[in-house]
Amino acid sequence: MHIPKSTTAEIDVLTFEDALKPSNNESYDRARWLYVPDFYSEYRYILGTRGKKPLICIGINPSTAEPDNLDNTLKSAERIALHNGYDSFIMFNVYAQRATDPDDMEREFNPMMHRENMKAFEYILSISEEKPAVWAAWGTIIEKRGYLRDCVLSMIEIGERYGAEWFTAGKRSKAKGHPHHPLYLKKDSGLDPFDVFGYCQSL
């Protein structure tokens, strides 16, 4: 479990540019893993495997996963990425604060952390050698905080500049069309095109 010790405004949050710089952490294979920042902290911008054709999986906020120590959600995301013909997966989150229980996420939006998180999103779109594939996979958790919808809208705007294509996997919720969370999906689940802007407008 990861329970935030404080709000992110009360801690030193690295800019994305600084977080990209390697530290002295040699506990994982940097040639295989993309991990930003590269040490365990109260926040995480990026976690995934390196490749030429990644599937970018979007959750709400990170939990405890690290390189070589994936949680079940990320294990499922990696399996589905490989099944659908991608050579790697990248886990990104709408909001970068670590919290195993989304109810523990901070109630006050931190604009600095959001700004740097969006720089991280633009970075992972830029390293895709093909048109970026973005898998919306946040379930109903997006309803936990009012600021999360606006964070997704920022991501849509950035994605348009890179020609990003959005997908979901599994059935969307009946009431509001929320994309399915990866945890309970079959490993051979396919991807379906997703009108993410229309979805956000309906929230």
Side-chain angles (χ1 to χ4, degrees):
M1 293 287 291
H2 187 103
I3 301 173
K5 297 176 182 177
S6 65
T7 68
T8 57
E10 298 174 279
I11 63 174
D12 291 328
V13 175
L14 290 174
T15 66
F16 178 68
E17 182 179 3
D18 285 339
L20 264 179
K21 298 173 182 176
S23 71
N24 295 323
N25 185 0
E26 298 180 358
S27 64
Y28 68 95
D29 181 0
R30 293 178 184 274
R32 178 169 189 259
W33 292 99
L34 179 62
Y35 184 39
V36 185
D38 65 357
F39 54 87
Y40 194 92
S41 182
E42 289 291 313
Y43 61 98
R44 189 187 75 212
Y45 293 126
I46 302 169
L47 173 59
T49 51
R50 296 183 184 273
K52 295 182 178 180
K53 186 183 177 183
L55 178 60
I56 302 167
C57 180
I58 311 295
I60 287 296
N61 69 302
S63 182
T64 60
E66 301 176 275
D68 299 314
N69 186 26
L70 301 182
D71 57 28
N72 289 334
T73 295
L74 271 72
K75 289 176 182 177
S76 179
E78 183 174 31
R79 285 194 298 267
I80 290 170
L82 296 177
H83 171 76
N84 282 278
Y86 297 90
D87 66 357
S88 52
F89 86 105
I90 295 175
M91 190 72 208
F92 183 77
N93 291 278
V94 176
Y95 201 67
Q97 183 189 31
R98 281 191 196 262
T100 300
D101 185 344
D103 286 329
D104 291 328
M105 290 175 64
E106 57 194 3
R107 297 189 177 277
E108 295 296 324
F109 173 71
N110 183 340
M112 178 272 178
M113 193 173 69
H114 170 67
R115 181 180 67 247
E116 298 307 318
N117 199 39
M118 291 304 99
K119 290 178 182 178
F121 185 57
E122 185 160 8
Y123 173 80
I124 58 177
L125 295 178
S126 74
I127 63 176
S128 297
E129 295 192 4
E130 300 182 9
K131 186 176 291 187
V134 183
W135 169 20
W138 49 73
T140 60
I141 304 172
I142 196 169
E143 297 184 17
K144 293 289 185 180
R145 298 290 183 264
Y147 55 75
L148 295 171
R149 172 185 174 274
D150 290 338
C151 294
V152 174
L153 288 171
S154 295
M155 294 169 61
I156 294 170
E157 182 180 355
I158 295 168
E160 287 177 347
R161 299 203 294 267
Y162 289 87
E165 295 180 327
W166 288 77
F167 301 93
T168 59
K171 293 183 178 179
R172 301 170 198 160
S173 69
K174 291 183 179 179
K176 297 185 179 180
H178 293 311
H180 202 294
H181 192 278
L183 188 55
Y184 300 111
L185 289 174
K186 295 180 179 178
K187 63 182 179 181
D188 59 351
S189 295
L191 299 174
D192 301 306
F194 184 44
D195 177 10
V196 65
F197 182 74
Y199 159 79
C200 283
Q201 292 300 103
S202 69
L203 292 179

